[in-house]
Amino acid sequence: MVFNYVIRPGTEKWEELNSKEEKFKVCQIPEDVLENITTEDLLNSVLNYPLLYDVFAYNDLHQGIEYLEKNFNGLNELFKRKELTRMLIDFYSKEKIVEDEEKKFKIIFLEILITYPKIYKELSKAEKIELENISILKKRDKEKI
């Protein structure tokens, strides 16, 4: 089951938070949930993370991922999952390019995540070729919008 962040931007409780540290704290996934959540649900939970947009606060997007990795236990746990690389490729290939801004952002985040050195180095040569072919198709779809 995908983790539901109760306190998120737009809520009254979110507005009461005074610092980035407080926001990070309320957005952590409880340890018992992390221990039992499937990798697919964890990936979706990461994609719903309220502070995900912080990845764009850096000149280098991979630095943004590093920042999130240091501050968000869900991303940290995701990187530990052995089946992550295959799941990312499958998930990315199935995502449709649409005009919805939130959906576009999630696809961009997946692209950043897949190319993050910690992930990319785990891909086999065949997976890298597969990913390149999928990326070409996604680029064509993006150009149509």
Side-chain angles (χ1 to χ4, degrees), residues 16-130:
E16 293 171 3
L17 300 173
N18 296 315
S19 69
K20 195 64 139 181
E21 290 76 25
E22 288 178 345
K23 291 176 182 177
F24 280 128
K25 187 175 180 181
V26 300
C27 291
Q28 299 303 308
I29 299 175
E31 288 301 318
D32 62 322
V33 173
L34 286 178
E35 291 172 6
N36 297 302
I37 195 169
T38 66
T39 303
E40 182 177 0
D41 285 345
L42 181 56
L43 175 57
N44 280 301
S45 298
V46 168
L47 291 172
N48 292 329
Y49 179 58
L51 297 168
L52 197 63
Y53 289 92
D54 284 5
V55 75
F56 291 111
Y58 293 83
N59 291 332
D60 179 329
L61 296 173
H62 290 164
Q63 285 180 335
I65 296 284
E66 287 174 13
Y67 173 76
L68 290 180
E69 183 182 6
K70 289 177 187 172
N71 292 288
F72 175 42
N73 66 350
L75 187 58
N76 230 310
E77 176 64 25
L78 189 64
F79 285 155
K80 295 175 186 174
R81 304 291 176 100
K82 291 182 180 3
E83 66 277 13
L84 177 61
T85 54
R86 182 74 248 161
M87 182 168 290
L88 282 172
I89 293 169
D90 292 343
F91 198 92
Y92 178 59
S93 70
K94 291 175 188 169
E95 283 296 302
K96 302 287 184 224
I97 303 295
V98 294
E99 291 191 36
D100 176 82
E101 291 302 315
E102 188 173 327
K103 198 88 155 132
K104 279 184 195 176
F105 173 75
K106 288 180 180 181
I107 291 171
I108 292 167
F109 183 79
L110 283 171
E111 292 169 339
I112 297 165
L113 200 57
I114 291 169
T115 61
Y116 187 56
K118 188 179 277 192
I119 301 295
Y120 194 76
K121 73 178 185 180
E122 297 298 320
L123 297 173
S124 68
K125 185 175 182 176
E127 287 174 324
K128 288 176 182 175
I129 292 168
E130 178 184 3

Side-chain angles (χ1 to χ4, degrees), residues 92-93 95 97 134-142:
Y92 178 59
S93 70
E95 283 296 302
I97 303 295
I134 294 167
S135 296
I136 290 167
L137 294 173
K138 295 288 181 197
K139 183 178 182 205
R140 287 182 191 153
D141 288 347
K142 288 176 188 175

